[in-house]
Every structure is written in structure tokens, then in C-alpha cells.
Coordinates of all heavy atoms in Angstrom, one line a residue:
M5 N -10.9 -1.6 -4.6 CA -10.1 -1.8 -3.4 C -8.6 -1.6 -3.7 O -8.1 -2.2 -4.6 CB -10.3 -3.3 -2.9 CG -10.2 -3.4 -1.4 SD -10.5 -5.1 -0.9 CE -12.2 -5.3 -1.2
P6 N -8.0 -0.8 -2.9 CA -6.6 -0.5 -3.2 C -5.6 -1.6 -2.8 O -5.9 -2.4 -1.9 CB -6.3 0.7 -2.4 CG -7.3 0.6 -1.2 CD -8.5 0.0 -1.8
I7 N -4.5 -1.6 -3.5 CA -3.4 -2.6 -3.1 C -2.3 -1.9 -2.3 O -1.9 -0.8 -2.7 CB -2.8 -3.2 -4.4 CG1 -3.9 -4.0 -5.2 CG2 -1.6 -4.1 -4.1 CD1 -3.4 -4.6 -6.5
Y8 N -2.0 -2.5 -1.2 CA -0.9 -1.9 -0.4 C 0.3 -2.9 -0.4 O 0.2 -4.1 -0.4 CB -1.4 -1.7 1.0 CG -2.6 -0.8 1.1 CD1 -3.9 -1.2 1.2 CD2 -2.4 0.6 1.0 CE1 -5.0 -0.4 1.2 CE2 -3.4 1.5 1.0 CZ -4.7 1.0 1.1 OH -5.8 1.9 1.2
E9 N 1.5 -2.2 -0.3 CA 2.7 -3.0 -0.3 C 3.2 -3.1 1.2 O 3.2 -2.1 1.9 CB 3.7 -2.3 -1.2 CG 3.7 -2.8 -2.6 CD 4.9 -2.3 -3.4 OE1 5.3 -1.2 -3.2 OE2 5.4 -3.2 -4.2
Y10 N 3.7 -4.2 1.5 CA 4.3 -4.4 2.8 C 5.7 -5.0 2.7 O 5.9 -5.8 1.7 CB 3.4 -5.4 3.6 CG 2.0 -4.8 3.9 CD1 1.0 -5.0 3.0 CD2 1.7 -4.1 5.1 CE1 -0.3 -4.5 3.2 CE2 0.4 -3.6 5.3 CZ -0.5 -3.8 4.3 OH -1.8 -3.2 4.5
V11 N 6.5 -4.7 3.6 CA 7.8 -5.3 3.6 C 8.1 -6.0 4.9 O 7.8 -5.5 6.0 CB 8.9 -4.3 3.3 CG1 8.9 -3.1 4.3 CG2 10.3 -4.9 3.2
C12 N 8.6 -7.3 4.8 CA 8.9 -8.0 6.0 C 10.2 -7.6 6.7 O 11.2 -7.6 6.0 CB 8.9 -9.5 5.7 SG 9.4 -10.5 7.1
P13 N 10.2 -7.3 7.9 CA 11.4 -6.8 8.6 C 12.4 -8.0 8.8 O 13.6 -7.8 9.1 CB 11.0 -6.3 9.9 CG 9.7 -7.0 10.2 CD 9.1 -7.3 8.8
K14 N 12.0 -9.2 8.7 CA 12.8 -10.4 8.9 C 13.5 -10.9 7.7 O 14.7 -10.9 7.6 CB 12.0 -11.5 9.6 CG 12.9 -12.7 10.0 CD 12.0 -13.8 10.6 CE 12.9 -15.0 10.9 NZ 12.1 -16.1 11.5
C15 N 12.7 -11.2 6.7 CA 13.3 -11.8 5.4 C 13.3 -10.7 4.3 O 13.7 -11.1 3.2 CB 12.6 -13.0 5.0 SG 10.8 -13.0 5.1
D16 N 12.9 -9.5 4.6 CA 13.1 -8.4 3.7 C 12.3 -8.6 2.3 O 12.7 -8.2 1.3 CB 14.5 -8.1 3.4 CG 14.8 -6.7 2.9 OD1 14.0 -5.8 3.4 OD2 15.7 -6.5 2.1
V17 N 11.3 -9.4 2.4 CA 10.5 -9.6 1.2 C 9.3 -8.6 1.1 O 8.8 -8.2 2.1 CB 9.9 -11.1 1.2 CG1 8.9 -11.3 2.3 CG2 9.3 -11.4 -0.1
T18 N 9.1 -8.2 -0.1 CA 8.0 -7.3 -0.3 C 6.8 -8.0 -0.9 O 6.9 -8.8 -1.9 CB 8.4 -6.1 -1.3 OG1 9.5 -5.5 -0.7 CG2 7.3 -5.1 -1.5
F19 N 5.6 -7.8 -0.3 CA 4.4 -8.4 -0.8 C 3.3 -7.4 -0.8 O 3.3 -6.4 -0.2 CB 4.1 -9.7 0.0 CG 3.9 -9.4 1.5 CD1 2.6 -9.2 2.0 CD2 5.0 -9.3 2.3 CE1 2.4 -8.9 3.3 CE2 4.8 -9.0 3.7 CZ 3.5 -8.8 4.2
E20 N 2.2 -7.8 -1.6 CA 1.1 -6.9 -1.8 C -0.2 -7.5 -1.1 O -0.3 -8.7 -1.1 CB 0.8 -6.6 -3.2 CG 2.0 -5.9 -3.9 CD 1.7 -5.7 -5.4 OE1 0.9 -6.4 -5.9 OE2 2.3 -4.8 -6.0
R21 N -1.0 -6.6 -0.6 CA -2.3 -7.1 -0.1 C -3.4 -6.2 -0.6 O -3.3 -5.0 -0.6 CB -2.2 -7.0 1.5 CG -1.5 -8.2 2.1 CD -2.2 -9.5 1.9 NE -1.3 -10.6 2.2 CZ -1.1 -11.1 3.4 NH1 -1.7 -10.6 4.4 NH2 -0.3 -12.1 3.6
L22 N -4.4 -6.9 -1.0 CA -5.6 -6.1 -1.5 C -6.6 -6.1 -0.3 O -7.1 -7.1 0.2 CB -6.3 -6.9 -2.6 CG -7.4 -6.2 -3.4 CD1 -6.8 -5.0 -4.2 CD2 -8.0 -7.1 -4.4
R23 N -6.8 -4.8 0.2 CA -7.6 -4.7 1.3 C -8.4 -3.4 1.3 O -7.9 -2.4 0.7 CB -6.8 -4.9 2.6 CG -5.6 -4.0 2.6 CD -4.9 -4.0 4.0 NE -4.8 -5.3 4.5 CZ -4.2 -5.6 5.7 NH1 -3.7 -4.6 6.4 NH2 -4.2 -6.8 6.2
P24 N -9.5 -3.3 2.1 CA -10.2 -2.1 2.2 C -9.4 -0.9 2.7 O -8.4 -1.2 3.5 CB -11.4 -2.4 3.1 CG -11.5 -3.9 3.1 CD -10.1 -4.4 2.9
L25 N -9.8 0.3 2.4 CA -9.1 1.5 2.9 C -9.1 1.5 4.4 O -8.1 2.0 5.0 CB -9.7 2.7 2.3 CG -8.9 4.0 2.5 CD1 -7.6 4.0 1.8 CD2 -9.8 5.2 2.0
S26 N -10.1 1.0 5.0 CA -10.3 1.1 6.4 C -9.2 0.2 7.1 O -9.0 0.4 8.3 CB -11.7 0.7 6.8 OG -11.9 -0.6 6.4
Q27 N -8.7 -0.7 6.4 CA -7.7 -1.6 7.0 C -6.3 -1.3 6.5 O -5.3 -2.1 6.8 CB -8.0 -3.1 6.7 CG -9.3 -3.5 7.2 CD -9.6 -5.0 6.9 OE1 -8.8 -5.7 6.4 NE2 -10.9 -5.4 7.0
A28 N -6.1 -0.2 5.9 CA -4.8 0.2 5.3 C -3.7 0.3 6.3 O -2.6 0.0 6.0 CB -5.0 1.5 4.5
Q29 N -4.1 0.8 7.5 CA -3.0 1.1 8.5 C -2.7 -0.2 9.3 O -1.8 -0.1 10.2 CB -3.5 2.2 9.4 CG -3.7 3.5 8.6 CD -2.5 4.0 7.8 OE1 -1.4 3.8 8.3 NE2 -2.7 4.6 6.7
Q30 N -3.5 -1.2 9.1 CA -3.3 -2.4 9.9 C -2.1 -3.2 9.3 O -1.9 -3.3 8.1 CB -4.5 -3.3 9.9 CG -5.7 -2.6 10.6 CD -6.9 -3.5 10.7 OE1 -6.9 -4.7 10.4 NE2 -8.0 -2.9 11.1
P31 N -1.3 -3.8 10.1 CA -0.2 -4.6 9.7 C -0.6 -5.9 9.0 O -1.7 -6.4 9.2 CB 0.6 -4.9 10.9 CG -0.4 -4.8 12.0 CD -1.4 -3.8 11.6
A32 N 0.2 -6.4 8.1 CA 0.0 -7.7 7.4 C 1.0 -8.7 7.8 O 2.2 -8.3 8.1 CB -0.1 -7.4 5.9
D33 N 0.7 -9.9 7.8 CA 1.7 -11.0 8.1 C 2.4 -11.4 6.8 O 1.9 -11.5 5.8 CB 1.0 -12.1 8.8 CG -0.1 -12.8 7.9 OD1 -0.8 -12.0 7.3 OD2 -0.2 -14.0 7.8
C34 N 3.7 -11.6 7.0 CA 4.6 -12.0 5.9 C 4.1 -13.4 5.3 O 3.9 -14.3 6.1 CB 6.0 -12.1 6.4 SG 7.1 -12.8 5.2
P35 N 4.1 -13.5 4.0 CA 3.6 -14.8 3.4 C 4.7 -15.9 3.6 O 4.3 -17.1 3.5 CB 3.5 -14.5 1.9 CG 4.3 -13.3 1.7 CD 4.3 -12.5 3.0
K36 N 5.9 -15.6 4.0 CA 6.9 -16.6 4.2 C 7.1 -17.0 5.6 O 7.1 -18.2 5.9 CB 8.3 -16.0 3.6 CG 8.2 -15.9 2.1 CD 9.5 -15.3 1.6 CE 10.7 -16.3 1.8 NZ 11.9 -15.7 1.2
C37 N 7.3 -16.0 6.5 CA 7.6 -16.3 7.9 C 6.4 -15.9 8.8 O 6.5 -16.1 10.0 CB 8.9 -15.6 8.3 SG 8.8 -13.8 8.4
H38 N 5.4 -15.2 8.2 CA 4.2 -14.8 9.0 C 4.5 -13.8 10.1 O 3.8 -13.6 11.0 CB 3.5 -16.0 9.6 CG 3.0 -17.0 8.5 ND1 2.0 -16.7 7.6 CD2 3.5 -18.2 8.2 CE1 1.9 -17.7 6.8 NE2 2.8 -18.7 7.1
K39 N 5.6 -13.1 10.0 CA 6.0 -12.0 10.9 C 5.2 -10.8 10.5 O 4.9 -10.6 9.3 CB 7.5 -11.8 10.9 CG 7.9 -10.8 11.9 CD 9.4 -10.6 11.9 CE 9.9 -9.7 13.0 NZ 9.6 -10.2 14.3
I40 N 4.8 -10.0 11.5 CA 4.0 -8.8 11.2 C 4.9 -7.8 10.4 O 6.0 -7.5 10.8 CB 3.6 -8.2 12.5 CG1 2.6 -9.1 13.2 CG2 2.9 -6.8 12.3 CD1 1.3 -9.4 12.4
S41 N 4.4 -7.4 9.3 CA 5.1 -6.5 8.4 C 4.4 -5.1 8.3 O 3.2 -5.1 8.4 CB 5.2 -7.1 7.0 OG 5.8 -8.4 7.1
R42 N 5.2 -4.1 8.1 CA 4.7 -2.8 8.0 C 4.5 -2.4 6.6 O 5.1 -3.0 5.7 CB 5.7 -1.8 8.7 CG 5.8 -2.0 10.2 CD 6.8 -1.0 10.7 NE 6.4 0.4 10.5 CZ 7.2 1.4 10.7 NH1 8.4 1.3 11.1 NH2 6.8 2.6 10.4
R43 N 3.6 -1.4 6.4 CA 3.4 -0.9 5.0 C 4.7 -0.3 4.4 O 5.4 0.4 5.1 CB 2.3 0.1 5.0 CG 0.9 -0.4 4.7 CD -0.1 0.7 4.7 NE 0.0 1.5 3.5 CZ -0.7 2.6 3.3 NH1 -1.5 3.0 4.2 NH2 -0.7 3.2 2.1
K44 N 4.9 -0.6 3.2 CA 6.0 0.0 2.5 C 5.5 1.3 1.8 O 4.8 1.3 0.8 CB 6.5 -1.0 1.4 CG 7.8 -0.5 0.7 CD 8.3 -1.6 -0.3 CE 9.6 -1.1 -0.9 NZ 10.0 -2.1 -1.9
M45 N 5.9 2.4 2.5 CA 5.4 3.7 2.1 C 6.1 4.3 0.9 O 5.5 5.1 0.1 CB 5.5 4.7 3.2 CG 4.7 4.2 4.5 SD 2.9 4.0 4.2 CE 2.5 5.7 4.1
S46 N 7.3 4.0 0.7 CA 8.1 4.7 -0.4 C 7.7 4.4 -1.8 O 7.9 5.2 -2.7 CB 9.6 4.3 -0.2 OG 9.7 2.9 -0.4
T47 N 7.0 3.3 -2.0 CA 6.6 2.9 -3.4 C 5.1 3.0 -3.5 O 4.5 2.3 -4.4 CB 7.1 1.5 -3.7 OG1 6.6 0.6 -2.8 CG2 8.6 1.5 -3.8
F48 N 4.5 3.7 -2.6 CA 3.0 3.8 -2.7 C 2.6 4.4 -4.0 O 3.0 5.4 -4.4 CB 2.5 4.6 -1.5 CG 1.0 4.7 -1.4 CD1 0.3 3.7 -0.8 CD2 0.3 5.7 -2.0 CE1 -1.1 3.7 -0.7 CE2 -1.1 5.8 -1.9 CZ -1.8 4.8 -1.2
A49 N 1.7 3.7 -4.7 CA 1.2 4.2 -6.0 C -0.3 4.6 -5.8 O -1.1 3.9 -5.2 CB 1.3 3.1 -7.0
C50 N -0.6 5.8 -6.4 CA -1.9 6.3 -6.3 C -2.6 6.2 -7.7 O -2.1 6.7 -8.7 CB -1.9 7.7 -5.8 SG -3.5 8.4 -5.6
F51 N -3.8 5.6 -7.7 CA -4.5 5.5 -9.0 C -5.7 6.5 -9.0 O -6.4 6.5 -8.0 CB -5.0 4.1 -9.2 CG -3.9 3.1 -9.3 CD1 -3.4 2.4 -8.2 CD2 -3.4 2.8 -10.5 CE1 -2.4 1.5 -8.3 CE2 -2.3 1.9 -10.6 CZ -1.9 1.2 -9.5
T52 N -5.8 7.2 -10.0 CA -6.9 8.2 -10.1 C -7.5 8.1 -11.5 O -6.9 7.8 -12.5 CB -6.4 9.6 -9.8 OG1 -7.4 10.5 -10.0 CG2 -5.2 10.0 -10.7
A53 N -8.8 8.4 -11.5 CA -9.5 8.4 -12.8 C -9.7 9.8 -13.3 O -10.6 10.0 -14.2 CB -10.9 7.7 -12.6
S54 N -8.9 10.7 -12.9 CA -9.1 12.1 -13.3 C -8.6 12.4 -14.7 O -8.8 13.5 -15.2 CB -8.3 13.0 -12.3 OG -6.9 12.8 -12.4
T55 N -8.0 11.4 -15.4 CA -7.5 11.6 -16.7 C -8.5 11.1 -17.7 O -8.1 10.5 -18.8 CB -6.1 10.9 -16.9 OG1 -6.3 9.5 -16.5 CG2 -5.1 11.6 -16.1
G56 N -9.8 11.2 -17.5 CA -10.8 10.8 -18.4 C -11.0 9.3 -18.4 O -11.3 8.7 -19.5
G57 N -10.9 8.6 -17.3 CA -11.2 7.2 -17.2 C -10.0 6.3 -17.4 O -10.1 5.2 -17.1
V58 N -8.9 6.9 -17.8 CA -7.7 6.2 -18.0 C -6.9 6.2 -16.7 O -6.5 7.2 -16.2 CB -6.8 6.7 -19.1 CG1 -5.5 5.9 -19.3 CG2 -7.6 6.8 -20.4
P59 N -6.7 5.0 -16.1 CA -5.9 5.0 -14.8 C -4.5 5.6 -15.0 O -3.8 5.3 -16.0 CB -5.8 3.5 -14.6 CG -6.9 2.9 -15.3 CD -7.1 3.7 -16.5
K60 N -4.2 6.4 -14.0 CA -2.9 7.0 -14.1 C -2.1 6.8 -12.8 O -2.7 7.0 -11.7 CB -3.1 8.6 -14.3 CG -1.8 9.4 -14.3 CD -2.1 10.8 -14.5 CE -0.9 11.7 -14.5 NZ -1.2 13.1 -14.6
T61 N -1.0 6.3 -12.9 CA -0.2 6.0 -11.7 C 0.7 7.1 -11.3 O 1.4 7.7 -12.1 CB 0.7 4.7 -12.0 OG1 -0.1 3.7 -12.4 CG2 1.4 4.3 -10.7
I62 N 0.6 7.5 -10.0 CA 1.4 8.6 -9.5 C 2.2 8.0 -8.4 O 1.7 7.6 -7.3 CB 0.6 9.8 -9.0 CG1 -0.3 10.3 -10.1 CG2 1.5 10.9 -8.5 CD1 -1.4 11.3 -9.6
A63 N 3.5 7.9 -8.6 CA 4.4 7.3 -7.5 C 4.7 8.4 -6.5 O 5.2 9.5 -6.8 CB 5.6 6.8 -8.2
G64 N 4.4 8.0 -5.3 CA 4.8 9.0 -4.2 C 6.3 9.0 -3.9 O 6.9 8.0 -4.0
T65 N 6.7 10.2 -3.6 CA 8.2 10.3 -3.4 C 8.5 9.9 -1.9 O 9.5 9.3 -1.7 CB 8.7 11.7 -3.7 OG1 7.8 12.6 -3.0 CG2 8.6 12.0 -5.2
S66 N 7.6 10.3 -1.0 CA 7.9 10.0 0.4 C 6.6 10.1 1.1 O 5.7 10.9 0.8 CB 8.9 10.9 1.0 OG 8.4 12.2 1.0
G67 N 6.4 9.3 2.1 CA 5.2 9.4 3.0 C 3.9 8.9 2.3 O 2.9 8.9 2.9
G68 N 4.0 8.3 1.1 CA 2.9 7.8 0.4 C 1.9 8.8 -0.1 O 0.8 8.5 -0.3
S69 N 2.4 10.0 -0.3 CA 1.5 11.1 -0.7 C 1.3 11.1 -2.2 O 2.1 10.6 -3.0 CB 2.0 12.5 -0.3 OG 3.2 12.7 -0.9
C70 N 0.1 11.6 -2.6 CA -0.1 11.7 -4.1 C -0.5 13.1 -4.4 O -0.7 13.9 -3.5 CB -1.2 10.7 -4.6 SG -2.8 11.0 -3.9
S71 N -0.8 13.4 -5.6 CA -1.0 14.8 -6.0 C -2.3 15.3 -5.5 O -2.5 16.5 -5.4 CB -1.0 14.9 -7.5 OG -2.0 14.1 -8.1
S72 N -3.3 14.5 -5.2 CA -4.6 14.9 -4.8 C -4.9 14.8 -3.3 O -6.0 15.0 -2.9 CB -5.7 14.1 -5.6 OG -5.6 12.8 -5.4
C73 N -3.9 14.4 -2.5 CA -4.1 14.3 -1.1 C -2.8 14.6 -0.3 O -1.8 14.5 -0.9 CB -4.7 12.9 -0.7 SG -3.5 11.6 -1.0
S74 N -3.0 14.9 0.9 CA -1.8 15.2 1.7 C -1.3 14.0 2.5 O -0.4 14.1 3.2 CB -2.2 16.4 2.7 OG -3.3 16.0 3.5
S75 N -2.0 12.9 2.4 CA -1.6 11.7 3.1 C -1.7 10.5 2.2 O -2.2 10.6 1.1 CB -2.4 11.5 4.4 OG -3.7 11.1 4.0
G76 N -1.2 9.3 2.6 CA -1.4 8.1 1.9 C -2.6 7.4 2.1 O -2.7 6.2 1.8
N77 N -3.6 8.0 2.7 CA -4.8 7.3 3.1 C -6.0 8.1 2.7 O -6.9 8.3 3.5 CB -4.7 7.1 4.7 CG -5.8 6.2 5.1 OD1 -6.3 5.4 4.3 ND2 -6.1 6.3 6.4
C78 N -6.0 8.6 1.5 CA -7.1 9.5 1.1 C -8.2 8.7 0.3 O -8.0 7.6 -0.1 CB -6.6 10.6 0.2 SG -6.1 10.1 -1.4
G79 N -9.4 9.2 0.2 CA -10.5 8.6 -0.5 C -10.2 8.4 -2.0 O -10.7 7.5 -2.6
T80 N -9.4 9.3 -2.6 CA -9.1 9.3 -4.0 C -8.4 8.0 -4.3 O -8.5 7.4 -5.4 CB -8.3 10.5 -4.4 OG1 -9.0 11.7 -4.0 CG2 -8.1 10.5 -5.9
C81 N -7.5 7.6 -3.4 CA -6.6 6.4 -3.7 C -7.5 5.1 -3.6 O -7.0 4.1 -4.0 CB -5.5 6.4 -2.7 SG -4.5 7.8 -2.7
A82 N -8.6 5.2 -3.0 CA -9.4 4.0 -2.7 C -10.2 3.4 -3.9 O -10.6 2.3 -3.9 CB -10.3 4.2 -1.5
S83 N -10.4 4.2 -4.9 CA -11.2 3.8 -6.0 C -10.4 3.1 -7.0 O -9.2 3.1 -7.0 CB -12.0 5.0 -6.6 OG -11.0 5.9 -7.0
Ligands
LIG118 ZN1 9.1 -12.7 6.5

């Protein structure tokens, strides 16, 4: 299950949520003020096992994209 980062628009805190890929686009509530927070796309990390079983982190530059997909919501990122 992938980990997604969210940032609270009120207290500017960044937090992570472990959730299924199907819920990736759903907002999460801030752990401090419980305000609905959006996904933090700029630091989206993509984990892939294409390096022979060794997890490799690919930091997206923008839009949450990784080397193996055109969006931040691909099946490769889910494993
Ligand atoms: Zn907050």
C-alpha cells in the first residue's frame, strides 16, 4: 500500500497517510486541526522493484510523475 503525503492549508503541517491506490485522490483530514488537506504532489516518491528487488526511490519533480508512468496514480507506484 503506497504512502501519500498531504499538507494542511491551515497549519501548514505535512503528514503521511497509508491508503489504497483507489483512495489516493481522496482528501485527508489534518491530524492537528482536522481540516481537509490536499495531497502534496511535489514530493511524491515512487517505489519500484525494477532494480532486482531493491526498492528504489524516484522523486518526482512536478505533478507526482515517476519514470514509469505519466501520472502520480499508476499501478507501478502501488506495490
Ligand atoms: Zn491543520
Side-chain angles (χ1 to χ4, degrees):
M5 206 180 294
I7 296 177
Y8 299 101
E9 275 192 315
Y10 297 85
V11 57
C12 175
K14 183 180 178 182
C15 46
D16 204 34
V17 67
T18 301
F19 57 97
E20 295 177 340
R21 283 291 165 86
L22 191 67
R23 51 171 45 178
L25 188 66
S26 59
Q27 297 179 16
Q29 301 302 327
Q30 295 182 11
D33 57 319
C34 173
K36 293 178 66 177
C37 68
H38 300 288
K39 187 176 180 65
I40 296 300
S41 306
R42 295 179 58 191
R43 266 181 77 186
K44 187 176 181 181
M45 301 298 289
S46 59
T47 57
F48 185 85
C50 183
F51 296 93
T52 175
S54 62
T55 54
V58 179
K60 181 182 178 183
T61 304
I62 304 170
T65 52
S66 63
S69 62
C70 69
S71 61
S72 60
C73 66
S74 57
S75 71
N77 192 22
C78 70
T80 306
C81 302
S83 58

